[in-house]
Amino acid sequence: MNRILLASAFLLVSISAAFADGIPSAPPARAVVSPVPAAISPALKAPAPKLVEPHLHIARSNVVGHARVALTFDACMGQADERILATLVRERIPATIFVTARWLKRNPAAVAVFLQNPDLFELENHGQNHIPAVDTPTLIYGIASAGSPQAVRQEVEGGAAAMVAAGISAPHWFRGSTAKYDLSAIGEIRAMGYRIAGYSVNGDGGSLLGAVITEKRISSAKDGDVVISHVNQPTHAAGEGVAKALVDLKAKGTQFVRLQDVEDTGDDKTTE
């Protein structure tokens, strides 16, 4: 009889313990996770700045068969593209070249060619370190923007100082890396006394297009167009297309002008 009572008591204790193991316990107070405050929630980051890519046109010739076109070239970094420079000099085609401080430092021979041909080349400011002139932090084509008004000013002033140090006249035009800006930066650059150079024809797609499509794009320039291309990528196929397009346009009777030689109209208050 005692054995039966002991066995029953043991069974009851075992069942109670098993039932208790199946009930989840409440987490300790220190394990409770508080919600992320709204002020630092990743979903509430500051919105990306509104960017513009201004257009620029020059006064038309309005002469049939003699379209007026402004050729502009960015010299960002890297080396000089002799295919383009040689064509400009040989064909006596004027152009406006936007140079960075970094490119000037690496290409003294090309700078000498520019200075020896003042009737052909107008040299203008492309910045100190090829940083997009946007005064809030963002990425443009993977390139970090200047990020503050002070940094925009340094990019502009640093580029101008390098030009003067290289024996070039003080610039009057500025074109930032990527040719994109936010409106506040445009106002800041204009307040520094610069006109901001947009464009109306993207000739070489940042020097990433092939020779055939580059030649076709530039050759299609019409009266009053401002063409942007690059003169710092001698290993890219686009440079061959640029050189051919210059000859094509000249054969059509195109009147080439520099920005300093003609009236212009830019949108987004870049030239007002």
Side-chain angles (χ1 to χ4, degrees), residues 41-78:
S41 173
L44 297 178
K45 290 181 179 178
K50 178 182 178 181
L51 302 180
V52 296
E53 192 166 356
H55 293 92
L56 179 68
H57 289 86
I58 56 172
R60 298 176 180 178
S61 72
N62 292 318
V63 177
V64 177
H66 294 282
R68 180 182 291 156
V69 172
L71 299 172
T72 69
F73 293 93
D74 288 358
C76 311
M77 295 172 282

Side-chain angles (χ1 to χ4, degrees), residues 238-250:
E240 177 185 348
V242 172
K244 289 182 178 179
L246 300 179
V247 177
D248 294 344
L249 287 173
K250 184 177 181 180

